[in-house]
Amino acid sequence: MRFTKPAWVMHKDSAMRGDEKRVSMFSCHVHPDGSRIATGGLDAKVRVWSTKPILNHASELSGRPPKSLCTLTMHTGPVLVVRWAHSGRWLASGSDDEIVMIWDLDPTARGKVWGSDEMNVEGWKPLKRLVGHESDVTDLAWSPGDRYLASVGLDSTVLIWCGFTLERLRKIDQHQGFVKGVCWDPVGEFLATGSDDRSVRIWRTTDWELEAEVRKPFDHSPGTFFRRLSWSPDGAHITASNATNNDGYVFIAAVIARNSWTSEISLVGHENTVEVAAYNPHIFLRDPSQPVTAPNICSVVALGADDRAVSVWQTKAPRPLIVAKDVFERQIMDLSWSMDGLTLYAVSSDGTMAVFSFDASELEGIAPQSAQEQYLKRFGFVAPPLPEGFSHQIPMETAKAQTSRITPPPSPRGQSQDFGSATPATVQGGGEQVHTLIAKRKPKKRIQPTFAGSLAGGVPSSSVNGINLIPSSKPISNVHGTSVSARAFQDVSSSNSIPITVPSTSALSLSISQPFGESSFGLGLNTGDTIEDFPMDLDGEVRISALDTFGQGKGKRKAGDEMDDRVATKARTLGGDRVRENVPVRPISSRSVAPLAISALLADGSGLAGRLEPPQLVTYLKATVEGGDDLFEGRNSEGDEPNEVIFVSGKQTQWLDYLQSPILALAATPTFCAAAMQDGSVNVYSHTGRRLMPALSLGVPCHSLTGSKNVLMALTVSGMLYVWDVRKQAAKFSPTSITPILATSPNLTIVSVAVRPNGAPVIQLSDGVAHSYDPALLAWVKLSEPWWAEGSDAWQGRQRTNSLSAARGPVAIIEGAVSERMLVDSGRAEKVRPAWWNTALTLGHLESKLHAAKALDSPQEYKQALLLYAKRIADEGFRAKAEELAKELFGPVYWRPNRDESWSPTTLGMSKRDLLKEVLNIFVRSKTLTKLGQDWQEIMKRSQSGE
């Protein structure tokens, strides 16, 4: 089994710009094809994420497909529930704004999210607002075949909607308390609801009257945020949350039997109220070699509770398969299984998501969907006929085409990473074993690359048939050899579970205790480069198999009706009807840059004449959107025809523009595109082709043009550097000359030019020195140089730049480039150095690295360098340096917010005093600065207590 907590799956507080404070997630649901997962949160938004970057490390690092696909913002209150239709065509969401919203795919709605910097890679438009509840909508459920949609809420009502026309069919108002959970019988005969009136009620779908009321296990149940219940895929049981035994002293999930509607079975072991139950969508066979009959069938159900634990149970065993404790910092709000039954997603009110990925060998006996459908026919229930002319089904010929394109499951990897040793197993009651997860911190940081993808042309189609997980190299042994009846659930003592504490990192490693022998697992994400196991489009988009036939005449309306406005039509684009032609790349000499007046260039005495050349004029040039596959192309004519720039998404031209002057350079980021012309002007466009800024006249051609997120940087052949914030339409600082860094030698040349998202330029010269401009100091500053490699023990540049540079910070990448270019490692050991050589250069290098990390806005590298610096001065016993560092981080003794602006309590978003705590811990553990560290720790305690 693999486990991960993707740190980038989050809902943000819109009022906390820049801080990216997490807010609670209340619901999650996996799309039927497994390609995406929807979440709802406190920020009143529905967010749709790709599952592939969650499950595959290489995909996460490459940004293919994009992590965030869409953000839906029509709700005005927290989104409490999201549920995909079984067909995958629609998404339903419920909120405390009393509205149920139905969302439909809109291929033309990609672009920026209103009021934010986020980009929608795909668009989901509000198809219909279902109005009827008078208070918060707490849960939703689509019936089998999407015949009905049920919604429940804090108005104590259950509303039944037609799954085709979306008209309200029935209002059930017999509950006497808030209704907080709903689920459908997989047969289609019954509907179950859970309420704060301490009952679970079962309703007939034939007449919507009450079939049964179950109260016994809920007599002493406490109040909870949700009471989410689930019906087993074989139709035999309902597992209801928020039940108790022993007059409310034992928290359980109650298993209610069909027809008798009694609860004689309890799932015991959680230390607080069970909030949600979710059955695996597949039935399981106790003996896979035997036919699908009632005695040979069992199910798998997951529970999430307020004790921050997730447990997974199989009905043939009296004890849980897995217990994961302290996975979250707060209670669990929702659970969702992927349709293939091998991945479990959980979200919590702490704003994080946890993902458990199983091997088929770990969930033994999984039966195909067809076996379940055949088994359910034995109930003999005949559903009412569909509304005439409506269908959620995919045409047979399309289904066959999809089947032929299904990606086969991946072969097992040769090796999985090992992150810990197995916990000694303890055999419990009759040989049953509870697998308890033990979390260990994985130090490797996983970055989040930016991606701005696109939908190519019309509605996307796919052969995706669910997510194929990478099998573990060491599958879990089958410890449930004996068949146990469904009534064999027994109490599980909480002492059998070892608590785990999971830090809020992106990737964690978990080891699973085994009943026999020793085994350990690398349950973080696979770090291999292979990503072909996940089907995707060549453009990196995530497809939806259910939407393959959208707009092909097999829609939901009667023949002869007016065209359905929900069917996507091809959007009209500027130049989109023109056939794209391939242009050979060749230099253009007839339109080369006109000779520049040397006297004009030397008028300022810069001495840079001829040292900065403009790019060669060619017939074709392009820039790929940072983190994506969209192209920004420039085409220069060799005659009198106009020059043009084109924005291409997939194979579709989204827009074009004609330019008077030949194009020298292009830049493209997820938020804008820019073109630099031969006449010294720069045009800046949005991704829809709007000019975001007036044409910029720089007077001379550009030497280079580059961008990052919202920032654009231009360096002219006269040596002037310009940096703009495109979103704010303002310069980051006044234009400055690069003469101070080039004038030291006539042989110096520029090797690379880049800009950071905070607007800091990074210019590396041929002598190996990397420079940036500091607007506060009005001076160029050195970021790194080969000198430090001569003696610094902290020099990290010996790592080659081509080895996973994406996983390293900007300072480390610069040092790697310096090391690679200058070959600074050669001959270091042979040279005779002064006595204090290494110490002096190490401290100087670390101090320089602190300033570089701050200039490049790299908080993790700043903290790493700070702690290395503290350890070095502690090892050397430099008390004066240590005291000065402590004073700098502590600040004024009597500092109070909003009273003294001369000192900032944070640096790069991190609290200086929190950093000081870690520095003091290093001092206290040293041999020479223990007393100093203890004294400052005492000062910290007094300042926190207000003395």
Side-chain angles (χ1 to χ4, degrees):
M1 192 201 77
R2 283 170 166 55
F3 171 83
T4 186
K5 287 190 76 175
W8 44 268
V9 176
M10 62 185 297
H11 287 246
K12 305 172 187 176
D13 186 351
S14 58
M16 301 287 290
R17 284 188 177 271
D19 291 346
E20 293 193 351
K21 178 184 177 183
R22 289 181 184 271
V23 298
S24 297
M25 280 196 276
F26 296 117
S27 184
C28 67
H29 199 232
V30 188
H31 192 275
D33 69 8
S35 62
R36 64 206 66 210
I37 183 169
T39 58
L42 188 64
D43 57 355
K45 295 176 182 177
V46 178
R47 297 181 184 267
V48 182
W49 313 87
S50 298
T51 55
K52 181 178 174 182
I54 297 174
L55 301 170
N56 182 279
H57 185 49
S59 174
E60 182 188 33
L61 293 180
S62 69
R64 290 170 53 90
K67 298 182 180 71
S68 176
L69 297 178
C70 192
T71 300
L72 311 178
T73 58
M74 292 292 290
H75 282 294
T76 59
V79 179
L80 303 181
V81 58
V82 288
R83 295 290 182 260
W84 294 101
H86 296 289
S87 67
R89 291 172 178 255
W90 291 344
L91 172 65
S93 60
S95 166
D96 77 349
D97 61 8
E98 306 174 4
I99 298 298
V100 175
M101 194 78 75
I102 306 297
W103 305 88
D104 192 15
L105 185 73
D106 181 5
T108 65
R110 58 186 290 273
K112 290 189 66 172
V113 180
W114 177 260
S116 76
D117 296 331
E118 300 176 35
M119 293 290 294
N120 277 346
V121 178
E122 66 183 21
W124 289 82
K125 65 182 178 182
L127 179 65
K128 193 166 184 180
R129 297 170 75 251
L130 306 186
V131 181
H133 283 283
E134 298 175 2
S135 189
D136 304 14
V137 179
T138 54
D139 207 5
L140 296 167
W142 294 89
S143 71
D146 298 330
R147 187 178 305 274
Y148 306 112
L149 172 66
S151 62
V152 299
L154 301 189
D155 55 0
S156 304
T157 63
V158 182
L159 299 184
I160 309 298
W161 312 84
C162 176
F164 301 93
T165 65
L166 300 177
E167 298 170 345
R168 196 173 85 184
L169 302 178
R170 187 81 175 196
K171 180 179 180 180
I172 303 173
D173 55 3
Q174 298 182 34
H175 274 292
Q176 305 303 312
F178 301 152
V179 188
K180 296 181 176 178
V182 61
C183 68
W184 291 90
D185 166 22
V187 180
E189 188 176 4
F190 300 110
L191 170 73
T193 54
S195 168
D196 274 357
D197 62 9
R198 294 177 175 172
S199 72
V200 167
R201 304 192 185 199
I202 293 87
W203 314 89
R204 295 186 294 271
T205 60
T206 51
D207 57 6
W208 305 111
E209 295 300 326
L210 184 65
E211 169 75 9
E213 182 178 4
V214 183
R215 284 192 172 273
K216 181 180 178 182
F218 310 103
D219 287 341
H220 301 279
S221 64
T224 53
F225 208 92
F226 296 114
R227 290 175 178 260
R228 288 180 165 150
L229 62 170
S230 183
W231 211 304
S232 65
D234 61 354
H237 300 94
I238 304 168
T239 295
S241 57
N242 202 352
T244 59
N245 280 344
N246 297 344
D247 296 330
Y249 288 102
V250 178
F251 301 104
I252 66 168
V255 181
I256 302 169
R258 189 190 186 97
N259 296 328
S260 68
W261 308 118
T262 57
S263 176
E264 305 297 333
I265 309 168
S266 300
L267 306 183
V268 187
H270 281 283
E271 300 172 6
N272 207 331
T273 318
V274 177
E275 191 93 27
V276 54
Y279 270 98
N280 189 300
H282 287 265
I283 59 175
F284 291 78
L285 302 180
R286 300 172 188 269
D287 185 351
S289 63
Q290 298 300 313
V292 182
T293 58
N296 194 35
I297 282 180
C298 62
S299 303
V300 170
V301 63
L303 304 179
D306 289 354
D307 61 358
R308 301 173 292 161
V310 175
S311 59
V312 180
W313 305 69
Q314 195 165 24
T315 54
K316 71 178 182 181
R319 305 199 181 272
L321 292 171
I322 296 291
V323 177
K325 305 196 73 175
D326 293 338
V327 173
F328 299 102
E329 296 177 2
R330 296 175 65 183
Q331 71 265 39
I332 293 158
M333 296 277 97
D334 204 2
L335 298 169
S336 179
W337 287 92
S338 60
M339 191 53 68
D340 64 3
L342 296 177
T343 308
L344 174 65
Y345 297 82
V347 294
S348 165
S349 59
D350 67 6
T352 63
M353 171 187 286
V355 186
F356 304 84
S357 301
F358 297 89
D359 267 350
S361 59
E362 295 164 356
L363 296 178
E364 190 181 40
I366 190 167
Q369 202 73 29
S370 57
Q372 177 188 355
E373 295 171 359
Q374 191 65 33
Y375 177 79
L376 293 178
K377 291 180 180 178
R378 75 180 184 87
F379 288 92
F381 177 74
V382 179
L386 298 179
E388 186 179 350
F390 289 83
S391 174
H392 282 298
Q393 303 302 316
I394 300 175
M396 185 61 66
E397 60 273 14
T398 305
K400 289 180 180 178
Q402 289 180 13
T403 303
S404 65
R405 299 196 307 265
I406 292 176
T407 302
S411 58
R413 294 287 184 266
Q415 207 118 50
S416 255
Q417 288 189 1
D418 233 332
F419 292 103
S421 59
T423 306
T426 305
V427 178
Q428 309 170 22
E432 295 295 342
Q433 173 67 31
V434 180
H435 300 306
T436 304
L437 303 180
I438 305 164
K440 298 180 181 178
R441 184 182 297 272
K442 180 179 179 182
K444 179 179 178 182
K445 181 176 183 285
R446 284 167 54 188
I447 66 168
Q448 175 177 340
T450 308
F451 189 95
S454 66
L455 288 170
V459 181
S461 61
S462 174
S463 61
V464 177
N465 196 33
I467 287 291
N468 299 318
L469 294 176
I470 303 172
S472 170
S473 61
K474 299 178 181 177
I476 298 178
S477 304
N478 176 22
V479 297
H480 303 299
T482 58
S483 295
V484 184
S485 70
R487 296 176 179 272
F489 288 91
Q490 299 174 1
D491 292 2
V492 177
S493 171
S494 60
S495 63
N496 294 329
S497 302
I498 303 174
I500 67 172
T501 301
V502 178
S504 56
T505 54
S506 173
L508 298 174
S509 56
L510 301 176
S511 56
I512 305 180
S513 58
Q514 299 288 338
F516 309 112
E518 292 187 358
S519 176
S520 58
F521 292 79
L523 299 170
L525 290 179
N526 192 304
T527 57
D529 294 328
T530 305
I531 58 174
E532 68 273 13
D533 298 317
F534 294 80
M536 72 173 186
D537 190 85
L538 292 176
D539 296 327
E541 69 184 42
V542 185
R543 300 172 168 191
I544 307 178
S545 57
L547 294 167
D548 270 358
T549 60
F550 233 34
Q552 296 182 4
K554 301 289 185 179
K556 308 176 184 64
R557 301 260 177 157
K558 299 179 182 179
D561 276 4
E562 293 181 2
M563 181 178 179
D564 192 344
D565 62 359
R566 290 172 281 178
V567 177
T569 57
K570 188 175 180 179
R572 180 176 169 84
T573 60
L574 179 61
D577 56 347
R578 193 178 68 175
V579 178
R580 290 186 62 227
E581 299 177 355
N582 292 327
V583 179
V585 181
R586 55 177 175 265
I588 302 176
S589 57
S590 60
R591 304 178 64 180
S592 59
V593 181
L596 298 169
I598 301 298
S599 58
L601 287 176
L602 298 178
D604 60 355
S606 64
L608 298 181
R611 297 178 63 180
L612 297 177
E613 296 289 339
Q616 184 181 29
L617 187 62
V618 294
T619 55
Y620 175 83
L621 61 164
K622 67 178 181 179
T624 304
V625 172
E626 179 186 1
D629 291 326
D630 292 352
L631 291 178
F632 186 47
E633 299 179 343
R635 302 186 180 197
N636 293 317
S637 68
E638 296 181 85
D640 296 331
E641 295 82 11
N643 312 290
E644 56 185 53
V645 287
I646 306 172
F647 187 81
V648 181
S649 178
K651 297 181 180 179
Q652 174 74 24
T653 298
Q654 298 299 319
W655 57 268
L656 57 80
D657 192 19
Y658 296 105
L659 304 176
Q660 182 178 3
S661 180
I663 305 150
L664 289 178
L666 299 174
T669 77
T671 55
F672 69 86
C673 305
M677 274 78 77
Q678 195 181 72
D679 62 0
S681 60
V682 177
N683 284 3
V684 183
Y685 304 91
S686 71
H687 281 201
T688 61
R690 293 177 56 249
R691 295 178 185 245
L692 295 176
M693 299 169 64
L696 305 169
S697 295
L698 307 185
V700 290
C702 281
H703 169 268
S704 60
L705 187 72
T706 184
S708 179
K709 294 190 176 178
N710 295 315
V711 175
L712 173 66
M713 185 175 78
L715 176 62
T716 69
V717 295
S718 63
M720 294 301 294
L721 184 77
Y722 300 82
V723 179
W724 302 277
D725 187 319
V726 174
R727 183 172 59 86
K728 296 180 179 179
Q729 299 191 23
K732 299 294 286 187
F733 49 80
S734 299
T736 186
S737 173
I738 63 169
T739 302
I741 62 175
L742 278 181
T744 56
S745 171
N747 298 320
L748 275 180
T749 58
I750 293 178
V751 175
S752 65
V753 177
V755 65
R756 291 282 295 160
N758 67 337
V762 180
I763 298 179
Q764 186 178 3
L765 304 182
S766 56
D767 62 355
V769 182
H771 297 267
S772 184
Y773 184 77
D774 191 330
L777 300 175
L778 296 177
W780 288 92
V781 295
K782 291 183 178 181
L783 298 174
S784 187
E785 54 187 319
W787 171 251
W788 301 124
E790 295 296 320
S792 172
D793 296 332
W795 180 259
Q796 307 252 332
R798 289 180 289 276
Q799 304 170 11
R800 307 298 282 183
T801 56
N802 57 3
S803 61
L804 291 178
S805 62
R808 297 156 60 199
V811 179
I813 293 173
I814 291 172
E815 289 189 357
V818 171
S819 178
E820 183 172 307
R821 179 167 184 79
M822 305 306 296
L823 300 176
V824 295
D825 285 333
S826 58
R828 293 176 70 234
E830 291 80 5
K831 297 180 182 179
V832 178
R833 300 297 189 182
W836 288 95
W837 174 262
N838 286 92
T839 301
L841 260 67
T842 300
L843 292 178
H845 173 224
L846 288 172
E847 289 163 355
S848 175
K849 199 170 182 178
L850 286 171
H851 294 302
K854 188 180 293 187
L856 300 181
D857 194 21
S858 180
Q860 292 300 324
E861 287 184 303
Y862 181 88
K863 182 177 179 180
Q864 180 188 30
L866 176 67
L867 298 182
L868 285 174
Y869 182 68
K871 187 175 189 311
R872 188 56 184 247
I873 60 178
D875 291 343
E876 298 290 346
F878 295 152
R879 182 182 180 88
K881 287 181 180 288
E883 182 121 30
E884 187 176 67
L885 177 63
K887 290 179 179 178
E888 179 184 314
L889 292 174
F890 185 78
V893 176
Y894 299 106
W895 181 86
R896 293 293 182 270
N898 302 323
R899 292 186 183 180
D900 185 359
E901 302 297 333
S902 62
W903 180 77
S904 173
T906 62
T907 180
L908 298 178
M910 300 179 291
S911 168
K912 289 182 179 179
R913 292 188 176 180
D914 287 345
L915 292 173
L916 178 58
K917 289 180 183 177
E918 299 192 44
V919 169
L920 295 179
N921 288 335
I922 293 174
F923 289 169
V924 168
R925 292 195 298 268
S926 69
K927 297 179 180 179
T928 55
L929 300 180
T930 303
K931 182 65 168 61
L932 176 68
Q934 291 173 343
D935 291 345
W936 273 101
Q937 284 181 337
E938 184 63 28
I939 294 173
M940 290 281 289
K941 290 179 182 178
R942 291 182 178 179
S943 67
Q944 289 175 349
S945 62
E947 294 182 23

